[in-house]
Amino acid sequence: MLGGKITFGTSGWRGVIADDFTVDRVRVVTQAIADHITEQGLKDRGMVVGYDTRFLSERFAEEAVKVLAANGIRTYLSTRDAPTPVISFEIIRKKAAGGINVTASHNPPEYSGLKFSSSWGGPALPEATLDIESRANTLLNKNSILVITLAEAKEKGLVEDVDLQKAYSDDLRKKIDIESIRKGKLKVAVDLLYGTGKDYLDSALRDAGCTVTVIHGHRDPLFGGRSPEPSEINLAELSAVMKKGKFDIGLAVDGDADRFGILDCDGTYVNPNQALALLLDYLCRTRTWNGGAARSFATTHLIDAVAKKHGIDVYETGVGFKYIGDLLVQGKIMFGGEESAGMTIKDHVPEKDGIVACLLAAEMVAREKRSVKDMLKRLYKDVGTILNERINIRITDTNRKEMAERLSKPLTEIGGLRVKGKKTTADGTKYMLEDDSWILMRASGTEPVVRVYVEAGSGERIEELVGAGRKFILGQ
Ligand code: G16
């Protein structure tokens, strides 16, 4: 058997390179995908294949192409590293059977991964990933993976090298108010975190007349020794750059450019929940779109407060952008966001798009002509103050078991406050407390950590709840 079981997490299959994630296992998973789309009757529509800037990414992508070709499936292979939302855009444009992006997104450098997007353009739903997983795990025990060489695949016309950038970038102009950004004459600091956002985000900003200062705009498979995640700590360098100069906004995207990062004009990190609420409010005021807003179980209820202000419905989904993408395709929503810094909008891809989120943030700053801090102040005045925090706790298998046991017992009090209600889903239990604050503890599906999410009306309550959550997880 070729290694341990293959499991798809919150988005795709991820593993440590040369341990879990090997050429052989990429071939196995691709064969499972080929069988899946063949059974769906989609194989004639071809697959879009891309890769990120990680170690050996293009090589792993090539392996996927060779297996697809051996199965008679044509590939549209990206000529450069590609953001996941761009793969999504191309699947829809080409009416392809789906897409594979070789990426471990925001995970540390030693990881690689494979994201499979379905024919509707979004991250595959559990019914698809369960089928692929089960096929892959059966294949692990057999020696029946079909592979041909790349030269043979090309000779048979089963691989087409494609430039994914132009069509996607042209389309951005229809979705973003470029003229407003141009009028704003923005000075923007951009951290590309060595990832696939290069020449997408920075070029779009330059095309919109911004003066752009870029850091980490080249490929480094070690990501400067960090994870390519636009978190507060990882954006400290961008913040330092902003403090030395005069900027209107700081923007960042993660390794596969589906997550966003935003810094205010003074270099202060804007947490993704706050950014989502501001963008939803802004879009409701500046677009004439129908439809509701979707957020995941773990995402801020500030979204609900903004939705209430504008009289639109809110849809709560499980954690994973696939569920939000599905609602977008069904035409139910005009905005979807996740606390992990993912968002998309009406008429765009059913996948989170960090490039679009950043450009909308630039548009918002240009049109509103005020700092993010001021916009937030105004929003809190309008809809009430809702603050939030998320911490990640590394846990051992013993912690995990004990935690599951503790979580299964009824809780009547957390952080000195009575539990007034609870909601249990596949993503854990959210405890609603008597002062309307809440706490959710859940195991991540992409990292070996437990996440504690808290929301409350004041900074002190947030601290108390974070402390209570930490103690609970660690059993102290
Ligand atoms: C993935 C998923 C997101 C999810 C995030 C965090 O993001 O696509 O929908 O919110 O992981 O998931 P978890 O809390 O289970 O780790 P990405 O950017 O890593 O693909």
Side-chain angles (χ1 to χ4, degrees), residues 9-11 14 104-107 115 123 254 256 258-259 296 319-322 338-341 351-352 390 442-447 449 451 453:
T10 315
S11 182
R14 299 181 195 183
S105 190
H106 69 289
N107 285 56
K115 285 188 178 181
D254 78 338
D256 63 331
D258 57 357
R259 297 186 183 204
S296 74
V319 175
F321 213 80
K322 51 201 173 225
E338 269 197 307
E339 56 69 40
S340 56
E351 172 62 282
K352 55 191 189 296
R390 181 186 91 173
R442 63 173 280 276
S444 156
T446 62
E447 295 172 72
V449 298
R451 304 198 197 283
Y453 309 80

PDB file of all heavy atoms in Angstrom, residues 9-11 14 104-107 115 123 254 256 258-259 296 319-322 338-341 351-352 390 442-447 449 451 453, ligand 1:
ATOM      1  N   GLY A   9      -9.636  17.275   3.371  1.00  0.00           N
ATOM      2  CA  GLY A   9     -10.005  18.105   4.533  1.00  0.00           C
ATOM      3  C   GLY A   9     -11.016  19.163   4.151  1.00  0.00           C
ATOM      4  O   GLY A   9     -11.822  18.963   3.240  1.00  0.00           O
ATOM      5  N   THR A  10     -10.942  20.316   4.822  1.00  0.00           N
ATOM      6  CA  THR A  10     -11.921  21.379   4.552  1.00  0.00           C
ATOM      7  C   THR A  10     -11.884  21.790   3.070  1.00  0.00           C
ATOM      8  O   THR A  10     -12.906  22.103   2.478  1.00  0.00           O
ATOM      9  CB  THR A  10     -11.642  22.611   5.449  1.00  0.00           C
ATOM     10  OG1 THR A  10     -11.388  22.159   6.780  1.00  0.00           O
ATOM     11  CG2 THR A  10     -12.814  23.559   5.471  1.00  0.00           C
ATOM     12  N   SER A  11     -10.709  21.810   2.494  1.00  0.00           N
ATOM     13  CA  SER A  11     -10.613  22.077   1.057  1.00  0.00           C
ATOM     14  C   SER A  11      -9.454  21.291   0.457  1.00  0.00           C
ATOM     15  O   SER A  11      -8.300  21.677   0.595  1.00  0.00           O
ATOM     16  CB  SER A  11     -10.436  23.574   0.806  1.00  0.00           C
ATOM     17  OG  SER A  11     -10.383  23.818  -0.582  1.00  0.00           O
ATOM     18  N   ARG A  14      -4.368  17.484   1.480  1.00  0.00           N
ATOM     19  CA  ARG A  14      -3.074  18.114   1.781  1.00  0.00           C
ATOM     20  C   ARG A  14      -2.170  17.156   2.529  1.00  0.00           C
ATOM     21  O   ARG A  14      -2.645  16.319   3.299  1.00  0.00           O
ATOM     22  CB  ARG A  14      -3.265  19.380   2.632  1.00  0.00           C
ATOM     23  CG  ARG A  14      -4.092  20.398   1.890  1.00  0.00           C
ATOM     24  CD  ARG A  14      -4.313  21.688   2.645  1.00  0.00           C
ATOM     25  NE  ARG A  14      -5.404  22.385   1.958  1.00  0.00           N
ATOM     26  CZ  ARG A  14      -5.865  23.564   2.263  1.00  0.00           C
ATOM     27  NH1 ARG A  14      -5.340  24.220   3.268  1.00  0.00           N
ATOM     28  NH2 ARG A  14      -6.847  24.096   1.586  1.00  0.00           N
ATOM     29  N   ALA A 104      -1.233  23.798  -1.418  1.00  0.00           N
ATOM     30  CA  ALA A 104      -1.637  23.559  -0.025  1.00  0.00           C
ATOM     31  C   ALA A 104      -2.032  24.899   0.586  1.00  0.00           C
ATOM     32  O   ALA A 104      -1.971  25.089   1.803  1.00  0.00           O
ATOM     33  CB  ALA A 104      -0.528  22.904   0.767  1.00  0.00           C
ATOM     34  N   SER A 105      -2.404  25.839  -0.309  1.00  0.00           N
ATOM     35  CA  SER A 105      -2.966  27.108   0.131  1.00  0.00           C
ATOM     36  C   SER A 105      -2.095  27.832   1.162  1.00  0.00           C
ATOM     37  O   SER A 105      -0.974  28.177   0.868  1.00  0.00           O
ATOM     38  CB  SER A 105      -4.373  26.840   0.667  1.00  0.00           C
ATOM     39  OG  SER A 105      -5.025  28.035   0.889  1.00  0.00           O
ATOM     40  N   HIS A 106      -2.610  27.992   2.384  1.00  0.00           N
ATOM     41  CA  HIS A 106      -1.919  28.783   3.413  1.00  0.00           C
ATOM     42  C   HIS A 106      -1.029  27.919   4.316  1.00  0.00           C
ATOM     43  O   HIS A 106      -0.403  28.434   5.220  1.00  0.00           O
ATOM     44  CB  HIS A 106      -2.958  29.475   4.296  1.00  0.00           C
ATOM     45  CG  HIS A 106      -3.704  28.485   5.152  1.00  0.00           C
ATOM     46  ND1 HIS A 106      -4.623  27.610   4.618  1.00  0.00           N
ATOM     47  CD2 HIS A 106      -3.622  28.196   6.462  1.00  0.00           C
ATOM     48  CE1 HIS A 106      -5.086  26.839   5.598  1.00  0.00           C
ATOM     49  NE2 HIS A 106      -4.506  27.176   6.729  1.00  0.00           N
ATOM     50  N   ASN A 107      -0.993  26.618   4.070  1.00  0.00           N
ATOM     51  CA  ASN A 107      -0.239  25.726   4.973  1.00  0.00           C
ATOM     52  C   ASN A 107       1.272  26.001   4.891  1.00  0.00           C
ATOM     53  O   ASN A 107       1.745  26.595   3.934  1.00  0.00           O
ATOM     54  CB  ASN A 107      -0.510  24.263   4.612  1.00  0.00           C
ATOM     55  CG  ASN A 107      -1.887  23.801   5.069  1.00  0.00           C
ATOM     56  OD1 ASN A 107      -2.887  24.406   4.700  1.00  0.00           O
ATOM     57  ND2 ASN A 107      -1.948  22.772   5.856  1.00  0.00           N
ATOM     58  N   LYS A 115      -6.280  20.675  -4.750  1.00  0.00           N
ATOM     59  CA  LYS A 115      -7.667  21.133  -4.619  1.00  0.00           C
ATOM     60  C   LYS A 115      -8.413  20.700  -5.873  1.00  0.00           C
ATOM     61  O   LYS A 115      -7.963  20.982  -6.992  1.00  0.00           O
ATOM     62  CB  LYS A 115      -7.726  22.658  -4.501  1.00  0.00           C
ATOM     63  CG  LYS A 115      -7.309  23.196  -3.143  1.00  0.00           C
ATOM     64  CD  LYS A 115      -7.572  24.701  -3.041  1.00  0.00           C
ATOM     65  CE  LYS A 115      -7.197  25.218  -1.662  1.00  0.00           C
ATOM     66  NZ  LYS A 115      -7.452  26.669  -1.510  1.00  0.00           N
ATOM     67  N   PRO A 123     -15.270  24.635  -5.074  1.00  0.00           N
ATOM     68  CA  PRO A 123     -14.596  23.507  -4.418  1.00  0.00           C
ATOM     69  C   PRO A 123     -15.581  22.349  -4.296  1.00  0.00           C
ATOM     70  O   PRO A 123     -16.741  22.561  -3.925  1.00  0.00           O
ATOM     71  CB  PRO A 123     -14.249  24.046  -3.023  1.00  0.00           C
ATOM     72  CG  PRO A 123     -14.584  25.498  -3.014  1.00  0.00           C
ATOM     73  CD  PRO A 123     -15.439  25.804  -4.200  1.00  0.00           C
ATOM     74  N   ASP A 254      -3.080  35.084   0.030  1.00  0.00           N
ATOM     75  CA  ASP A 254      -2.331  33.922   0.506  1.00  0.00           C
ATOM     76  C   ASP A 254      -1.663  33.182  -0.665  1.00  0.00           C
ATOM     77  O   ASP A 254      -1.694  33.660  -1.808  1.00  0.00           O
ATOM     78  CB  ASP A 254      -3.230  32.997   1.348  1.00  0.00           C
ATOM     79  CG  ASP A 254      -4.151  32.135   0.497  1.00  0.00           C
ATOM     80  OD1 ASP A 254      -4.424  32.501  -0.662  1.00  0.00           O
ATOM     81  OD2 ASP A 254      -4.618  31.088   0.985  1.00  0.00           O
ATOM     82  N   ASP A 256      -2.314  30.694  -2.613  1.00  0.00           N
ATOM     83  CA  ASP A 256      -3.063  30.448  -3.858  1.00  0.00           C
ATOM     84  C   ASP A 256      -4.094  31.549  -4.104  1.00  0.00           C
ATOM     85  O   ASP A 256      -5.043  31.366  -4.888  1.00  0.00           O
ATOM     86  CB  ASP A 256      -3.693  29.053  -3.893  1.00  0.00           C
ATOM     87  CG  ASP A 256      -4.733  28.821  -2.817  1.00  0.00           C
ATOM     88  OD1 ASP A 256      -4.623  29.441  -1.745  1.00  0.00           O
ATOM     89  OD2 ASP A 256      -5.657  28.016  -3.034  1.00  0.00           O
ATOM     90  N   ASP A 258      -6.565  32.856  -2.736  1.00  0.00           N
ATOM     91  CA  ASP A 258      -8.017  32.835  -2.502  1.00  0.00           C
ATOM     92  C   ASP A 258      -8.388  33.525  -1.198  1.00  0.00           C
ATOM     93  O   ASP A 258      -9.539  33.850  -0.965  1.00  0.00           O
ATOM     94  CB  ASP A 258      -8.591  31.400  -2.579  1.00  0.00           C
ATOM     95  CG  ASP A 258      -7.951  30.420  -1.635  1.00  0.00           C
ATOM     96  OD1 ASP A 258      -6.989  30.794  -0.927  1.00  0.00           O
ATOM     97  OD2 ASP A 258      -8.405  29.256  -1.592  1.00  0.00           O
ATOM     98  N   ARG A 259      -7.385  33.748  -0.331  1.00  0.00           N
ATOM     99  CA  ARG A 259      -7.656  34.494   0.899  1.00  0.00           C
ATOM    100  C   ARG A 259      -7.105  35.907   0.780  1.00  0.00           C
ATOM    101  O   ARG A 259      -6.100  36.127   0.092  1.00  0.00           O
ATOM    102  CB  ARG A 259      -6.961  33.840   2.089  1.00  0.00           C
ATOM    103  CG  ARG A 259      -7.429  32.447   2.397  1.00  0.00           C
ATOM    104  CD  ARG A 259      -6.767  32.001   3.685  1.00  0.00           C
ATOM    105  NE  ARG A 259      -7.118  30.632   4.002  1.00  0.00           N
ATOM    106  CZ  ARG A 259      -7.095  30.131   5.221  1.00  0.00           C
ATOM    107  NH1 ARG A 259      -6.723  30.899   6.237  1.00  0.00           N
ATOM    108  NH2 ARG A 259      -7.421  28.896   5.441  1.00  0.00           N
ATOM    109  N   SER A 296     -20.141  31.359   7.161  1.00  0.00           N
ATOM    110  CA  SER A 296     -20.032  30.031   7.784  1.00  0.00           C
ATOM    111  C   SER A 296     -20.404  30.120   9.257  1.00  0.00           C
ATOM    112  O   SER A 296     -20.484  31.209   9.830  1.00  0.00           O
ATOM    113  CB  SER A 296     -18.615  29.483   7.621  1.00  0.00           C
ATOM    114  OG  SER A 296     -17.750  30.171   8.500  1.00  0.00           O
ATOM    115  N   VAL A 319     -18.382  25.017   7.793  1.00  0.00           N
ATOM    116  CA  VAL A 319     -17.076  25.597   7.460  1.00  0.00           C
ATOM    117  C   VAL A 319     -16.579  24.961   6.162  1.00  0.00           C
ATOM    118  O   VAL A 319     -16.554  23.739   6.023  1.00  0.00           O
ATOM    119  CB  VAL A 319     -16.065  25.376   8.607  1.00  0.00           C
ATOM    120  CG1 VAL A 319     -14.682  25.876   8.212  1.00  0.00           C
ATOM    121  CG2 VAL A 319     -16.543  26.077   9.875  1.00  0.00           C
ATOM    122  N   GLY A 320     -16.172  25.802   5.240  1.00  0.00           N
ATOM    123  CA  GLY A 320     -15.737  25.310   3.923  1.00  0.00           C
ATOM    124  C   GLY A 320     -16.443  26.161   2.863  1.00  0.00           C
ATOM    125  O   GLY A 320     -17.674  26.248   2.861  1.00  0.00           O
ATOM    126  N   PHE A 321     -15.652  26.765   1.990  1.00  0.00           N
ATOM    127  CA  PHE A 321     -16.254  27.696   1.036  1.00  0.00           C
ATOM    128  C   PHE A 321     -17.145  26.990   0.020  1.00  0.00           C
ATOM    129  O   PHE A 321     -17.973  27.600  -0.639  1.00  0.00           O
ATOM    130  CB  PHE A 321     -15.172  28.526   0.337  1.00  0.00           C
ATOM    131  CG  PHE A 321     -15.652  29.907   0.017  1.00  0.00           C
ATOM    132  CD1 PHE A 321     -15.668  30.893   0.991  1.00  0.00           C
ATOM    133  CD2 PHE A 321     -16.137  30.219  -1.251  1.00  0.00           C
ATOM    134  CE1 PHE A 321     -16.154  32.164   0.720  1.00  0.00           C
ATOM    135  CE2 PHE A 321     -16.613  31.482  -1.537  1.00  0.00           C
ATOM    136  CZ  PHE A 321     -16.622  32.463  -0.552  1.00  0.00           C
ATOM    137  N   LYS A 322     -16.973  25.656  -0.069  1.00  0.00           N
ATOM    138  CA  LYS A 322     -17.802  24.879  -1.004  1.00  0.00           C
ATOM    139  C   LYS A 322     -19.292  25.139  -0.762  1.00  0.00           C
ATOM    140  O   LYS A 322     -20.091  25.219  -1.697  1.00  0.00           O
ATOM    141  CB  LYS A 322     -17.485  23.396  -0.862  1.00  0.00           C
ATOM    142  CG  LYS A 322     -17.527  22.896   0.575  1.00  0.00           C
ATOM    143  CD  LYS A 322     -16.738  21.607   0.742  1.00  0.00           C
ATOM    144  CE  LYS A 322     -16.662  21.227   2.223  1.00  0.00           C
ATOM    145  NZ  LYS A 322     -15.367  20.821   2.672  1.00  0.00           N
ATOM    146  N   GLU A 338     -16.160  34.102   4.729  1.00  0.00           N
ATOM    147  CA  GLU A 338     -15.717  33.224   5.812  1.00  0.00           C
ATOM    148  C   GLU A 338     -14.644  33.923   6.626  1.00  0.00           C
ATOM    149  O   GLU A 338     -13.771  34.596   6.067  1.00  0.00           O
ATOM    150  CB  GLU A 338     -15.103  31.949   5.232  1.00  0.00           C
ATOM    151  CG  GLU A 338     -16.072  30.825   5.034  1.00  0.00           C
ATOM    152  CD  GLU A 338     -15.327  29.514   4.856  1.00  0.00           C
ATOM    153  OE1 GLU A 338     -14.445  29.437   3.991  1.00  0.00           O
ATOM    154  OE2 GLU A 338     -15.621  28.578   5.602  1.00  0.00           O
ATOM    155  N   GLU A 339     -14.657  33.671   7.929  1.00  0.00           N
ATOM    156  CA  GLU A 339     -13.706  34.306   8.842  1.00  0.00           C
ATOM    157  C   GLU A 339     -12.242  34.002   8.504  1.00  0.00           C
ATOM    158  O   GLU A 339     -11.349  34.715   8.928  1.00  0.00           O
ATOM    159  CB  GLU A 339     -14.011  33.923  10.291  1.00  0.00           C
ATOM    160  CG  GLU A 339     -14.040  32.408  10.613  1.00  0.00           C
ATOM    161  CD  GLU A 339     -12.720  31.719  10.547  1.00  0.00           C
ATOM    162  OE1 GLU A 339     -11.719  32.297  10.992  1.00  0.00           O
ATOM    163  OE2 GLU A 339     -12.688  30.564  10.033  1.00  0.00           O
ATOM    164  N   SER A 340     -11.998  32.917   7.773  1.00  0.00           N
ATOM    165  CA  SER A 340     -10.627  32.579   7.408  1.00  0.00           C
ATOM    166  C   SER A 340     -10.124  33.449   6.258  1.00  0.00           C
ATOM    167  O   SER A 340      -9.113  33.143   5.645  1.00  0.00           O
ATOM    168  CB  SER A 340     -10.549  31.095   7.032  1.00  0.00           C
ATOM    169  OG  SER A 340     -11.468  30.811   6.003  1.00  0.00           O
ATOM    170  N   ALA A 341     -10.842  34.536   5.982  1.00  0.00           N
ATOM    171  CA  ALA A 341     -10.448  35.522   4.969  1.00  0.00           C
ATOM    172  C   ALA A 341     -10.806  35.083   3.550  1.00  0.00           C
ATOM    173  O   ALA A 341     -10.006  35.218   2.623  1.00  0.00           O
ATOM    174  CB  ALA A 341      -8.978  35.901   5.071  1.00  0.00           C
ATOM    175  N   GLU A 351     -16.140  30.502  -5.592  1.00  0.00           N
ATOM    176  CA  GLU A 351     -14.903  30.138  -4.871  1.00  0.00           C
ATOM    177  C   GLU A 351     -14.411  31.415  -4.224  1.00  0.00           C
ATOM    178  O   GLU A 351     -14.659  32.514  -4.733  1.00  0.00           O
ATOM    179  CB  GLU A 351     -13.883  29.629  -5.896  1.00  0.00           C
ATOM    180  CG  GLU A 351     -12.473  29.372  -5.406  1.00  0.00           C
ATOM    181  CD  GLU A 351     -12.364  28.296  -4.336  1.00  0.00           C
ATOM    182  OE1 GLU A 351     -12.676  28.628  -3.172  1.00  0.00           O
ATOM    183  OE2 GLU A 351     -11.977  27.156  -4.649  1.00  0.00           O
ATOM    184  N   LYS A 352     -13.711  31.310  -3.104  1.00  0.00           N
ATOM    185  CA  LYS A 352     -13.231  32.546  -2.504  1.00  0.00           C
ATOM    186  C   LYS A 352     -12.129  33.152  -3.376  1.00  0.00           C
ATOM    187  O   LYS A 352     -11.362  32.422  -3.992  1.00  0.00           O
ATOM    188  CB  LYS A 352     -12.780  32.330  -1.069  1.00  0.00           C
ATOM    189  CG  LYS A 352     -11.757  31.260  -0.827  1.00  0.00           C
ATOM    190  CD  LYS A 352     -11.685  31.038   0.679  1.00  0.00           C
ATOM    191  CE  LYS A 352     -10.546  30.157   1.097  1.00  0.00           C
ATOM    192  NZ  LYS A 352     -10.631  28.774   0.600  1.00  0.00           N
ATOM    193  N   ARG A 390      -9.996  34.852  17.127  1.00  0.00           N
ATOM    194  CA  ARG A 390      -9.831  33.414  16.902  1.00  0.00           C
ATOM    195  C   ARG A 390      -8.428  33.041  17.339  1.00  0.00           C
ATOM    196  O   ARG A 390      -7.475  33.732  16.996  1.00  0.00           O
ATOM    197  CB  ARG A 390      -9.992  33.097  15.413  1.00  0.00           C
ATOM    198  CG  ARG A 390      -9.849  31.622  15.120  1.00  0.00           C
ATOM    199  CD  ARG A 390      -9.876  31.337  13.637  1.00  0.00           C
ATOM    200  NE  ARG A 390      -8.524  31.365  13.086  1.00  0.00           N
ATOM    201  CZ  ARG A 390      -8.223  31.015  11.840  1.00  0.00           C
ATOM    202  NH1 ARG A 390      -9.189  30.642  11.006  1.00  0.00           N
ATOM    203  NH2 ARG A 390      -6.988  31.054  11.393  1.00  0.00           N
ATOM    204  N   ARG A 442     -13.522  24.113  17.560  1.00  0.00           N
ATOM    205  CA  ARG A 442     -13.587  23.049  16.549  1.00  0.00           C
ATOM    206  C   ARG A 442     -12.183  22.694  16.058  1.00  0.00           C
ATOM    207  O   ARG A 442     -11.284  23.544  16.046  1.00  0.00           O
ATOM    208  CB  ARG A 442     -14.477  23.424  15.354  1.00  0.00           C
ATOM    209  CG  ARG A 442     -14.012  24.609  14.556  1.00  0.00           C
ATOM    210  CD  ARG A 442     -14.848  24.819  13.291  1.00  0.00           C
ATOM    211  NE  ARG A 442     -14.466  23.952  12.213  1.00  0.00           N
ATOM    212  CZ  ARG A 442     -13.473  24.209  11.361  1.00  0.00           C
ATOM    213  NH1 ARG A 442     -12.742  25.300  11.461  1.00  0.00           N
ATOM    214  NH2 ARG A 442     -13.205  23.356  10.384  1.00  0.00           N
ATOM    215  N   ALA A 443     -12.043  21.445  15.642  1.00  0.00           N
ATOM    216  CA  ALA A 443     -10.766  21.008  15.084  1.00  0.00           C
ATOM    217  C   ALA A 443     -10.687  21.484  13.647  1.00  0.00           C
ATOM    218  O   ALA A 443     -11.652  21.343  12.881  1.00  0.00           O
ATOM    219  CB  ALA A 443     -10.679  19.498  15.144  1.00  0.00           C
ATOM    220  N   SER A 444      -9.563  22.078  13.278  1.00  0.00           N
ATOM    221  CA  SER A 444      -9.366  22.530  11.896  1.00  0.00           C
ATOM    222  C   SER A 444      -9.318  21.338  10.952  1.00  0.00           C
ATOM    223  O   SER A 444      -8.864  20.252  11.332  1.00  0.00           O
ATOM    224  CB  SER A 444      -8.054  23.313  11.818  1.00  0.00           C
ATOM    225  OG  SER A 444      -7.545  23.287  10.513  1.00  0.00           O
ATOM    226  N   GLY A 445      -9.779  21.561   9.716  1.00  0.00           N
ATOM    227  CA  GLY A 445      -9.694  20.509   8.703  1.00  0.00           C
ATOM    228  C   GLY A 445      -8.510  20.723   7.777  1.00  0.00           C
ATOM    229  O   GLY A 445      -8.354  20.016   6.779  1.00  0.00           O
ATOM    230  N   THR A 446      -7.658  21.717   8.085  1.00  0.00           N
ATOM    231  CA  THR A 446      -6.496  21.954   7.224  1.00  0.00           C
ATOM    232  C   THR A 446      -5.185  21.973   8.005  1.00  0.00           C
ATOM    233  O   THR A 446      -4.117  21.944   7.410  1.00  0.00           O
ATOM    234  CB  THR A 446      -6.608  23.305   6.469  1.00  0.00           C
ATOM    235  OG1 THR A 446      -6.632  24.364   7.441  1.00  0.00           O
ATOM    236  CG2 THR A 446      -7.844  23.393   5.608  1.00  0.00           C
ATOM    237  N   GLU A 447      -5.269  22.083   9.317  1.00  0.00           N
ATOM    238  CA  GLU A 447      -4.058  22.170  10.145  1.00  0.00           C
ATOM    239  C   GLU A 447      -4.256  21.352  11.417  1.00  0.00           C
ATOM    240  O   GLU A 447      -5.392  21.208  11.874  1.00  0.00           O
ATOM    241  CB  GLU A 447      -3.813  23.618  10.585  1.00  0.00           C
ATOM    242  CG  GLU A 447      -3.509  24.591   9.482  1.00  0.00           C
ATOM    243  CD  GLU A 447      -3.480  26.016  10.027  1.00  0.00           C
ATOM    244  OE1 GLU A 447      -2.535  26.358  10.737  1.00  0.00           O
ATOM    245  OE2 GLU A 447      -4.429  26.764   9.764  1.00  0.00           O
ATOM    246  N   VAL A 449      -4.605  21.741  14.467  1.00  0.00           N
ATOM    247  CA  VAL A 449      -4.922  22.660  15.572  1.00  0.00           C
ATOM    248  C   VAL A 449      -6.418  22.628  15.875  1.00  0.00           C
ATOM    249  O   VAL A 449      -7.225  22.223  15.029  1.00  0.00           O
ATOM    250  CB  VAL A 449      -4.545  24.138  15.235  1.00  0.00           C
ATOM    251  CG1 VAL A 449      -3.054  24.301  14.999  1.00  0.00           C
ATOM    252  CG2 VAL A 449      -5.337  24.663  14.043  1.00  0.00           C
ATOM    253  N   ARG A 451      -9.383  25.277  16.812  1.00  0.00           N
ATOM    254  CA  ARG A 451      -9.616  26.718  16.744  1.00  0.00           C
ATOM    255  C   ARG A 451     -10.681  27.094  17.765  1.00  0.00           C
ATOM    256  O   ARG A 451     -11.694  26.391  17.895  1.00  0.00           O
ATOM    257  CB  ARG A 451     -10.094  27.116  15.353  1.00  0.00           C
ATOM    258  CG  ARG A 451      -9.146  26.698  14.224  1.00  0.00           C
ATOM    259  CD  ARG A 451      -9.462  27.495  12.967  1.00  0.00           C
ATOM    260  NE  ARG A 451      -8.907  26.910  11.751  1.00  0.00           N
ATOM    261  CZ  ARG A 451      -7.624  26.993  11.377  1.00  0.00           C
ATOM    262  NH1 ARG A 451      -6.749  27.601  12.155  1.00  0.00           N
ATOM    263  NH2 ARG A 451      -7.221  26.458  10.245  1.00  0.00           N
ATOM    264  N   TYR A 453     -13.150  30.192  18.540  1.00  0.00           N
ATOM    265  CA  TYR A 453     -13.693  31.428  17.981  1.00  0.00           C
ATOM    266  C   TYR A 453     -14.558  32.063  19.065  1.00  0.00           C
ATOM    267  O   TYR A 453     -15.394  31.366  19.656  1.00  0.00           O
ATOM    268  CB  TYR A 453     -14.606  31.151  16.791  1.00  0.00           C
ATOM    269  CG  TYR A 453     -14.039  30.253  15.707  1.00  0.00           C
ATOM    270  CD1 TYR A 453     -14.032  28.862  15.852  1.00  0.00           C
ATOM    271  CD2 TYR A 453     -13.543  30.787  14.518  1.00  0.00           C
ATOM    272  CE1 TYR A 453     -13.539  28.027  14.853  1.00  0.00           C
ATOM    273  CE2 TYR A 453     -13.053  29.955  13.506  1.00  0.00           C
ATOM    274  CZ  TYR A 453     -13.043  28.582  13.686  1.00  0.00           C
ATOM    275  OH  TYR A 453     -12.559  27.751  12.704  1.00  0.00           O
TER     276      TYR A 453
HETATM  277  C1  G16 B   1      -9.713  26.329   3.577  1.00  0.00           C
HETATM  278  C2  G16 B   1     -11.139  26.321   3.103  1.00  0.00           C
HETATM  279  C3  G16 B   1     -11.944  27.405   3.795  1.00  0.00           C
HETATM  280  C4  G16 B   1     -11.836  27.227   5.299  1.00  0.00           C
HETATM  281  C5  G16 B   1     -10.375  27.249   5.673  1.00  0.00           C
HETATM  282  C6  G16 B   1     -10.144  26.947   7.134  1.00  0.00           C
HETATM  283  O1  G16 B   1      -9.083  27.497   3.145  1.00  0.00           O
HETATM  284  O2  G16 B   1     -11.170  26.537   1.709  1.00  0.00           O
HETATM  285  O3  G16 B   1     -13.262  27.317   3.378  1.00  0.00           O
HETATM  286  O4  G16 B   1     -12.510  28.258   5.966  1.00  0.00           O
HETATM  287  O5  G16 B   1      -9.657  26.263   4.969  1.00  0.00           O
HETATM  288  O6  G16 B   1     -10.588  25.653   7.393  1.00  0.00           O
HETATM  289  P1  G16 B   1     -10.201  24.954   8.733  1.00  0.00           P
HETATM  290  O7  G16 B   1     -10.677  25.894   9.816  1.00  0.00           O
HETATM  291  O8  G16 B   1     -10.935  23.657   8.714  1.00  0.00           O
HETATM  292  O9  G16 B   1      -8.712  24.818   8.774  1.00  0.00           O
HETATM  293  P2  G16 B   1      -7.755  27.434   2.258  1.00  0.00           P
HETATM  294  O10 G16 B   1      -7.471  28.866   1.926  1.00  0.00           O
HETATM  295  O11 G16 B   1      -6.724  26.800   3.144  1.00  0.00           O
HETATM  296  O12 G16 B   1      -8.105  26.601   1.105  1.00  0.00           O
END
